[in-house]
Amino acid sequence: MEKPRVGLKDVARLAGVSVKTVSNVVNGYVHVTSATRSRVEAAIKELNYRPNLSARNLRQGRTGIIALAVPELDIPYFAELARLVVTAAGEHGLTVLIDQTGASREREQLVAEGFRAHLIDGLIFSPLALTPEDLAARMDDTPMVLLGERVYDGPADHVVVDNVAAAKEATLHLAATGRRRIAAIGAQDDPAAETSRLRLAGYLEALAEAGMPADDRLVQHVETYHRADGARAMARLLDSGQAPDAVFCFNDLLALGALRTLLERGHAVPGEVALAGFDDIEDGRYATPTITTISPDKQAIARQAVDLLAARMAKGSPAEAREVRVAYELMIRESTGG
């Protein structure tokens, strides 16, 4: 026989307080004395009380669900980030619906315009194809937090990593190892490819600071940021007659592809060619050699994004957009001699 569900009244009776006080403790209100809070929490534990989130959300006109929309789940960076967002959302009592846009402008527009707004209370969104004009024209009022550099002045919070500074630091590290022909893999021609543009800018700033001329022949364009693109780009560099002695790849998947080509062609890494990436995905830590990389604080990205979204959902009114800049670290590993 199924046990009757423990309710607020049961907890209140055991703790010797009102139902309203139990509700205040469960909902995290601060205006409860520490002694009262302790009694209520002890009663909750003893009775194994679990809030009825569905009923609470229904009363508040919410679903208790947020969405995370990313370009590709088979890119490890986004898969790792999704796991961390799910964990951070759980701390707020929220469930995460994960969507994949394929970096398609049409798909990203659907997400931004709230085609699933009836299902969710808020959106964490990592767009690649949308332009600033697309985002500024958004009509849906579902709370949204963007991941990536701020590219427009609309009313959405942003969680960002300084891509220019990070790419510059990685490239300067390659220069500091004595390399003089430093290539870049990851440039893209699409005007909406903001990540590519920013990382290329950091690479070029580093060359200028190190007193090395920029050489267009050392900058390789790619369609996507997959291993195969990195492998093909590295092959083009080696076949160009202008082989580099170092390569900065705009993500770790490109670096892993480039590494494969270098080793297949008999080039020692880092002996002949040093290699650095970006994102600090787990695969790079187990490659041979391990990959030097820029490591964004992914846990902080997830936590900040969820916290910003939860705050905006709670206020229920527009506020000035906030930008949170998250730290990164250059992880020096075997591929540059670390």
Side-chain angles (χ1 to χ4, degrees):
M1 188 174 186
E2 186 176 346
K3 291 183 179 180
R5 185 182 179 91
V6 175
L8 290 177
K9 289 182 180 179
D10 302 301
V11 176
R13 189 180 302 111
L14 180 60
V17 298
S18 69
V19 171
K20 178 63 175 176
T21 298
V22 175
S23 177
N24 287 344
V25 172
V26 169
N27 287 289
Y29 294 139
V30 296
H31 301 299
V32 179
T33 67
S34 57
T36 299
R37 185 180 302 278
S38 295
R39 286 209 317 278
V40 171
E41 289 174 346
I44 287 172
K45 184 175 181 180
E46 182 176 335
L47 295 174
N48 195 29
Y49 169 70
R50 293 291 180 270
N52 187 337
L53 295 178
S54 296
R56 183 200 305 174
N57 290 334
L58 186 61
R59 289 194 301 272
Q60 296 175 343
R62 297 178 182 172
T63 66
I65 299 171
I66 63 172
L68 169 67
V70 297
E72 294 181 74
L73 284 169
D74 55 354
I75 290 183
Y77 172 82
F78 291 117
E80 292 175 16
L81 183 65
R83 176 179 60 81
L84 293 167
V85 167
V86 168
T87 299
E91 295 174 4
H92 287 268
L94 297 168
T95 299
V96 182
L97 183 157
I98 298 176
D99 202 357
Q100 178 175 262
T101 65
S104 156
R105 182 167 179 260
E106 292 74 20
R107 181 73 177 176
E108 289 186 354
Q109 282 181 316
L110 283 173
V111 170
E113 290 303 328
F115 81 113
R116 285 182 172 165
H118 64 292
L119 295 176
I120 63 172
D121 299 327
L123 170 66
I124 299 173
F125 189 18
S126 178
L128 290 184
L130 291 186
T131 66
E133 292 74 24
D134 292 330
L135 289 166
R138 179 177 184 252
M139 300 297 292
D140 181 58
D141 61 358
T142 301
M144 179 175 72
V145 173
L146 292 176
L147 304 180
E149 296 285 353
R150 182 181 295 281
V151 294
Y152 82 116
D153 296 324
D157 300 322
H158 281 65
V159 180
V160 306
V161 173
D162 192 335
N163 278 288
V164 175
K168 181 178 179 180
E169 184 170 342
T171 308
L172 285 173
H173 166 66
L174 292 170
T177 66
R179 316 293 169 149
R180 306 309 297 171
R181 290 187 54 77
I182 303 174
I185 294 178
Q188 293 182 312
D189 296 321
D190 187 339
E194 189 69 8
T195 296
S196 168
R197 184 184 69 78
L198 294 168
R199 292 180 188 177
L200 180 61
Y203 160 79
L204 293 172
E205 283 186 18
L207 294 184
E209 186 169 312
M212 288 184 272
D215 186 342
D216 290 342
R217 294 171 298 180
L218 292 175
V219 177
Q220 284 294 314
H221 288 66
V222 297
E223 288 189 17
T224 66
Y225 278 15
H226 292 167
R227 297 171 184 84
D229 298 274
R232 287 191 291 265
M234 193 69 243
R236 291 194 297 270
L237 285 168
L238 295 176
D239 294 339
S240 68
Q242 304 290 330
D245 58 10
V247 184
F248 169 51
C249 297
F250 291 7
N251 82 343
D252 285 349
L253 289 187
L254 292 172
L256 288 168
L259 176 62
R260 176 70 182 185
T261 294
L262 285 166
L263 297 180
E264 283 181 343
R265 298 281 192 97
H267 295 275
V269 179
E272 294 178 59
V273 183
L275 187 68
F278 202 117
D279 285 345
D280 192 20
I281 64 173
E282 188 173 10
D283 290 9
R285 298 171 221 157
Y286 290 89
T288 304
T290 53
I291 304 294
T292 291
T293 187
I294 293 292
S295 178
D297 189 341
K298 291 189 280 285
Q299 186 169 33
I301 292 171
R303 186 175 299 279
Q304 291 285 358
V306 172
D307 287 350
L308 286 170
L309 188 63
R312 190 167 284 274
M313 286 158 47
K315 289 179 181 177
S317 61
E320 184 177 349
R322 296 154 290 183
E323 178 177 291
V324 175
R325 197 163 289 268
V326 173
Y328 66 86
E329 182 179 0
L330 174 65
M331 307 298 293
I332 300 174
R333 298 194 176 112
E334 295 166 350
S335 66
T336 60

